Amino acid sequence: MNLRLDYNNVIKEYVGEHGIDSDDFNEYKDKIASAIEGMKKKKDEGKMDFRLMPFVQDDVVNDINDYVESVKEKGVIDTFVVLGIGGSALGPIAVQQALNHPYYNELTKEQRKGCPRLYVLDNVDPEKIVNFLDIVDLKKCLFNVISKSGSTSETMSQFMIIEEKMKKVLDNEDELKDHFVFTTDKEKGNLVKIGKEKGYKMFVVPSGVGGRFSELTPVGLLAAAMCGINISELLRGAKEMDMACDKTNYRESPAYMYAIIHYILMNKNKKLSVMMPYSDRLKYMSDWYCQLWAESIGKKFDNEGKEVWGGMTPIKALGVTDQHSQLQLYTEGPFDKIVVFLKNERFKNELMIPEVYGDIPEINFLGGHTQNELINVELSSTEIALNKMGKPNMKIIFPEINEYYIGQFIQMMEIATGFMGELMNINAFDQPGVEEGKNCTYAIFNKPGYEEKKKELESQKKRTDKFIC
Ligand code: PA5
């Protein structure tokens, strides 16, 4: 069985005038057909290499598993730390949260089946790193520095700080090799250079796979395998989903339908898309997805260079928690969004609510039901509430949450994002807005090669106190 996309509640018949109907699908028929062609062409021309990842990585999986075994055999490492940001961090966080024990780091080593604890440091807030160093023994840490470019200031500064600290606690610099592993481009960038010089183990981010599309490369696979997650199953799920999505009839492809529905609604002025999992395990999948969607489809220019200022803002929410926070706005606020629920059909535990307080019927009615029933009944109730107010919503259904279905979800969302790019006629695979921010930082810090940028920044209008209160 595969993940299913249930889009009944975006159809006008169910949700009313703010939904979509067959006229909408007809209106975009040609665009959809050319987007399907575009996907095929890009894949054949090697411009969508993330699609290949589930099919071509047998050797990579073996290399990762061998490395993980060798680390465990040495028995020194008890903490695995990812240093990375954006596409180099959100996937590892999301997969770990989805598949391992929610309190994984608090389990004993035996309970973790000999796997190390996992931390992902994805910010340069100095307090975070300093405080992190308070709680670990550096001599037992293995740092996975992940940066495709090998130049991102955040990641490189973390690496530089930690490598220096590590040198101070080790007996000799030769031991550094046991504490750093790089995941980076095969030949370009500073990490390759440093890694070769120092003899650090290195894994490759394939050159045709961009950061946010790289979870199913060593970027995500190494941390997952290190924490006992079956990465072959992740890739098997992704493979099945890829084949299930690669359809000429778009109605059979959950990824294409996901994008088409978003595209039609976006053109009806619904420019917000909320992802709301009803599962704590999937909470960080929304974070991962938000970056994928935002960075890929938020573009100033279309493929012909025309200014379009395109995009649809992704928003993360969590069911049921945000029923008591965001839902009022989603139901009675403006008609500006679609809500996408993630439903888990089979939780790993069943939790019965005891039949107590027979004298208080206002709470006794819950007794004899499970929290499993409660969470999914609350999801249905939220759907009903949104439908009643004419607010389009749809749901992705997980038969359960395991490696296979998480692999499916990742591939489905990546294909949907690529397809949305085709529908919008924009390049979903670059990120000039992100690069602009990176370049400004380089210029301010006087990085060689950024002199022109520095001049540009210096010529900008200065702030005035007049507008600060
Ligand atoms: O998706 C992207 O390309 C970005 O979010 C990058 O992943 C992020 O900027 C980090 O880049 P790098 O891996 O080069 O350090």
Side-chain angles (χ1 to χ4, degrees):
M1 193 191 285
N2 285 345
L3 294 188
R4 278 128 49 221
L5 176 69
D6 175 349
Y7 58 94
N8 277 277
N9 294 341
V10 298
I11 303 296
K12 272 190 183 157
E13 238 174 287
Y14 294 89
V15 78
E17 59 168 321
H18 290 278
I20 60 187
D21 61 14
S22 47
D23 289 348
D24 294 304
F25 288 109
N26 279 336
E27 186 183 338
Y28 295 108
K29 165 164 116 288
D30 294 343
K31 206 169 247 304
I32 294 169
S34 77
I36 293 174
E37 262 313 296
M39 289 294 280
K40 195 175 156 345
K41 194 158 171 264
K42 281 215 166 70
K43 192 175 159 191
D44 294 346
E45 288 173 354
K47 290 181 183 155
M48 260 194 207
D49 283 358
F50 76 86
R51 299 283 305 273
L52 308 179
M53 292 305 107
F55 299 87
V56 298
Q57 290 193 100
D58 288 352
D59 291 348
V60 175
V61 168
N62 289 337
D63 192 15
I64 289 176
N65 286 335
D66 289 349
Y67 176 70
V68 167
E69 269 323 299
S70 72
V71 169
K72 284 191 188 162
E73 261 168 32
K74 281 188 192 156
V76 177
I77 299 302
D78 73 2
T79 305
F80 187 75
V81 190
V82 170
L83 304 181
I85 195 162
S88 300
L90 291 161
I93 296 171
V95 167
Q96 169 76 356
Q97 177 80 14
L99 296 173
N100 264 331
H101 192 288
Y103 301 102
Y104 176 86
N105 282 349
E106 278 103 283
L107 299 177
T108 62
K109 195 166 181 183
E110 289 65 44
Q111 288 170 320
R112 294 193 311 265
K113 301 197 175 73
C115 298
R117 297 183 292 172
L118 175 73
Y119 291 94
V120 181
L121 302 184
D122 64 345
N123 204 350
V124 286
D125 181 330
E127 289 184 20
K128 187 162 174 180
I129 297 205
V130 171
N131 295 340
F132 170 75
L133 293 171
D134 288 342
I135 62 143
V136 292
D137 177 355
L138 271 186
K139 281 185 167 176
K140 295 184 179 172
C141 288
L142 172 57
F143 289 90
N144 181 199
V145 187
I146 310 180
S147 176
K148 186 174 178 195
S149 62
S151 58
T152 304
S153 305
E154 294 88 342
T155 309
M156 297 315 290
S157 72
Q158 289 176 327
F159 165 63
M160 287 152 80
I161 291 167
I162 289 176
E163 194 187 39
E164 281 311 294
K165 292 204 180 288
M166 188 67 89
K167 281 181 192 164
K168 294 203 174 85
V169 299
L170 297 179
D171 297 330
N172 67 69
E173 290 200 9
D174 203 42
E175 290 173 27
L176 284 169
K177 284 203 282 293
D178 295 330
H179 298 276
F180 289 95
V181 49
F182 289 173
T183 307
T184 190
D185 190 84
K186 192 170 179 193
E187 32 196 42
K188 285 191 248 150
N190 307 303
L191 283 180
V192 183
K193 194 164 162 268
I194 298 169
K196 278 187 185 153
E197 261 168 41
K198 302 243 167 113
Y200 294 159
K201 172 74 181 164
M202 288 193 272
F203 289 95
V204 172
V205 190
S207 58
V209 182
R212 57 194 173 276
F213 290 87
S214 69
E215 173 52 23
L216 297 178
T217 72
V219 166
L221 297 178
L222 177 57
M226 198 56 88
C227 297
I229 289 166
N230 184 336
I231 56 176
S232 300
E233 272 298 285
L234 273 175
L235 292 169
R236 190 173 72 84
K239 189 176 183 173
E240 290 294 325
M241 179 52 76
D242 198 278
M243 293 187 299
C245 287
D246 212 3
K247 295 278 161 58
T248 321
N249 178 359
Y250 64 86
R251 286 179 187 272
E252 290 172 7
S253 167
Y256 291 177
M257 277 310 287
Y258 184 94
I260 291 166
I261 290 164
H262 274 79
Y263 183 71
I264 295 174
L265 288 174
M266 183 181 77
N267 287 325
K268 287 176 181 281
N269 233 3
K270 299 184 192 341
K271 306 251 164 129
L272 307 175
S273 170
V274 179
M275 179 166 279
M276 189 166 183
Y278 271 67
S279 152
D280 265 30
R281 286 191 176 275
L282 298 177
K283 180 174 175 183
Y284 291 96
M285 277 292 157
S286 304
D287 274 38
W288 168 81
Y289 161 77
C290 282
Q291 187 227 5
L292 177 70
W293 192 253
E295 211 166 299
S296 302
I297 67 160
K299 295 289 151 69
K300 178 176 174 185
F301 297 107
D302 71 7
N303 289 328
E304 275 71 53
K306 191 171 136 229
E307 277 191 23
V308 287
W309 302 98
M312 197 175 184
T313 305
I315 296 168
K316 52 193 179 184
L318 179 68
V320 303
T321 309
D322 283 313
Q323 280 183 216
H324 302 269
S325 160
Q326 305 291 315
L327 187 60
Q328 174 62 30
L329 174 71
Y330 299 166
T331 50
E332 295 197 356
F335 291 88
D336 57 359
K337 58 180 78 61
I338 172 173
V339 180
V340 181
F341 299 110
L342 306 183
K343 176 178 178 177
N344 179 11
E345 283 188 320
R346 193 159 68 226
F347 289 85
K348 293 193 195 314
N349 311 99
E350 188 175 80
L351 190 55
M352 183 63 79
I353 306 167
E355 294 186 62
V356 291
Y357 291 108
D359 53 332
I360 313 181
E362 289 84 355
I363 58 169
N364 171 262
F365 75 95
L366 292 166
H369 292 287
T370 60
Q371 283 212 331
N372 310 51
E373 284 174 85
L374 185 58
I375 193 166
N376 280 334
V377 164
E378 293 208 35
L379 166 52
S380 304
S381 307
T382 303
E383 290 176 285
I384 294 166
L386 286 171
N387 281 6
K388 192 174 164 192
M389 294 294 154
K391 301 297 171 65
N393 60 93
M394 61 183 176
K395 125 183 118 196
I396 298 173
I397 303 167
F398 286 69
E400 62 184 293
I401 296 172
N402 59 22
E403 280 93 340
Y404 180 77
Y405 290 117
I406 289 298
Q408 287 211 337
F409 179 72
I410 291 169
Q411 197 72 358
M412 176 178 160
M413 289 298 105
E414 290 183 1
I415 297 173
T417 304
F419 196 71
M420 185 72 170
E422 291 303 302
L423 289 168
M424 290 170 64
N425 188 33
I426 47 111
N427 181 356
F429 303 103
D430 65 359
Q431 55 285 321
V434 176
E435 305 303 337
E436 178 64 14
K438 287 187 181 184
N439 293 343
C440 289
T441 303
Y442 297 151
I444 294 167
F445 272 46
N446 298 317
K447 180 172 175 175
Y450 291 82
E451 295 75 14
E452 278 308 306
K453 189 79 195 162
K454 177 111 186 175
K455 278 191 209 147
E456 181 195 316
L457 297 184
E458 282 167 355
S459 69
Q460 274 180 359
K461 198 162 170 49
K462 299 274 173 297
R463 274 170 207 275
T464 151
D465 284 349
K466 195 170 132 195
F467 299 125
I468 301 177
C469 54

